[in-house]
Amino acid sequence: MKRFALLFCLAAAGCGGASDGISDGDTVGKEIADDYQEAMDEAAEVEQKLQNAKDRIDDALEDADDTVKD
């Protein structure tokens, strides 16, 4: 009976491969790299928005400074 239980456990463990959400052909490294690249793209978009806001503020300050000097 012990042998049957051991055999059953080994067979169940061998057949019950868990899926980790990685599609066929992809590796864990590719999934990590894709997530990293997506985060970097989002960060670049945020950086560009902040730079645009800074440029608008700089232009407004320059205009205000020119108005005061006149």
Side-chain angles (χ1 to χ4, degrees):
M1 185 67 180
K2 289 180 184 180
R3 288 183 184 174
F4 178 73
L6 177 62
L7 181 60
F8 179 75
C9 289
L10 291 174
C15 293
S19 173
D20 57 3
I22 299 173
S23 63
D24 293 338
D26 287 348
T27 62
V28 174
K30 181 177 181 340
E31 184 178 349
I32 292 170
D34 289 346
D35 290 346
Y36 176 78
Q37 188 61 49
E38 184 179 335
M40 293 301 290
D41 291 343
E42 290 176 12
E45 289 176 18
V46 170
E47 181 180 15
Q48 185 60 47
K49 287 179 183 179
L50 290 172
Q51 186 61 46
N52 291 343
K54 179 192 174 295
D55 291 342
R56 287 192 308 270
I57 291 170
D58 288 346
D59 290 343
L61 288 173
E62 188 175 311
D63 291 345
D65 191 37
D66 290 344
T67 302
V68 171
K69 287 182 182 179
D70 291 339

